[in-house]
Amino acid sequence: AAFVRETGYDPAGCLLPVRGKWELDTSRSWRSPGFDQTDRHPVVCVSHEDAQRYVQWLNQKVARALSVSAGGSGPYRLPSESEWEYAARAGTTTARFWGDGHPCDYANGADLTAKDEHSSWVTANCRDGYVHTAPAGSFRPNAFGLHDILGNANQWVQDCYADTYAGAPSDGSAASSQNSCLRVNRGGSWNLDPRYLRSAVRYGNYPNARDNAVGFRLARTLP
């Protein structure tokens, strides 16, 4: 919201699930993605390109605050896919960071609360209390203290999508920085069958696509 106020860049149009398929609704946006949102909810209906504009704005604010040149890339950025998965797993090797724990304690996904409104959904046999997105930090964090790393909103990462990790960087950097490629979504979201809320699940998505289950989380490069 602060970014939009300061820059005037206000993206609109969002893909919403309608009768089992995604349809573009030009009346929807990050402000009104088809359900109620507050400043405590994760932003959704933003594309990879929108996220990069936000990163650029934030880094310029940091540069002004520190009275340094804004010519550099700045400390904030989208994480690489390998950084994201390292952070999501938090030292675990299980499918989910909580192991065999109760999913509704740790992640906002499709559950019995959502089934009341979406009767055809495959859901977890528990209630997390939210049909759509939940305020950030509503669920237990992983061992690194990260909330909502699985569920709530899918997260854009920097990488270009590839079907496998063959040839992927081994130093934690993003796979390819070319502009014309599918970008990766990680983490799962409020509307997904719980089997997809896993640390390893990944999707390729068009960089200009906006839908009401995808947002982003930033990484900060330490000096």
Side-chain angles (χ1 to χ4, degrees):
F3 161 68
V4 169
R5 284 195 301 270
E6 288 195 20
T7 65
Y9 178 78
D10 196 1
C14 189
L15 292 166
L16 277 64
V18 179
R19 295 180 294 276
K21 64 178 182 178
W22 291 96
E23 294 185 2
L24 179 64
D25 188 335
T26 57
S27 70
R28 296 299 183 182
S29 71
W30 65 274
R31 298 177 187 275
S32 178
F35 43 83
D36 291 338
Q37 290 279 82
T38 71
D39 286 349
R40 287 199 57 219
H41 288 76
V43 66
V44 291
C45 288
V46 288
S47 69
H48 189 275
E49 294 170 354
D50 299 334
Q52 296 290 21
R53 283 178 176 258
Y54 177 85
V55 166
Q56 183 180 30
W57 168 78
L58 185 59
N59 282 329
Q60 288 173 344
K61 289 181 72 69
V62 170
R64 287 195 296 270
L66 298 177
S67 298
V68 298
S69 170
S73 58
Y76 291 100
R77 55 185 172 77
L78 292 178
S80 70
E81 189 171 9
S82 58
E83 287 176 323
W84 184 93
E85 187 163 333
Y86 178 86
R89 290 188 178 279
T92 63
T93 57
T94 50
R96 302 162 182 86
F97 68 82
W98 60 83
D100 296 325
H102 206 298
C104 290
D105 292 335
Y106 295 91
N108 176 22
D111 70 305
L112 295 179
T113 312
K115 201 171 184 70
D116 293 340
E117 184 171 317
H118 304 281
S119 59
S120 64
W121 284 13
V122 175
T123 66
N125 190 30
C126 59
R127 292 182 180 274
D128 62 28
Y130 299 95
V131 176
H132 303 106
T133 55
S138 296
F139 298 86
R140 295 180 186 177
N142 70 9
F144 287 173
L146 293 172
H147 294 268
D148 308 309
I149 194 73
L150 297 181
N152 219 15
N154 270 297
Q155 298 151 53
W156 290 106
V157 297
Q158 182 61 31
D159 300 61
C160 288
Y161 178 78
D163 289 337
T164 72
Y165 290 128
S170 59
D171 60 358
S173 61
S176 181
S177 59
Q178 63 187 25
N179 294 322
S180 56
C181 66
L182 295 178
R183 299 289 177 170
V184 180
N185 290 159
R186 299 296 300 257
S189 58
W190 57 269
N191 61 352
L192 280 182
D193 179 332
R195 63 182 167 169
Y196 296 115
L197 301 186
R198 295 185 291 113
S199 300
V201 168
R202 51 199 294 275
Y203 306 94
N205 201 349
Y206 292 101
N208 61 350
R210 302 185 184 105
D211 75 57
N212 67 359
V214 179
F216 64 96
R217 157 189 322 253
L218 298 187
R220 181 166 63 94
T221 301
L222 297 177

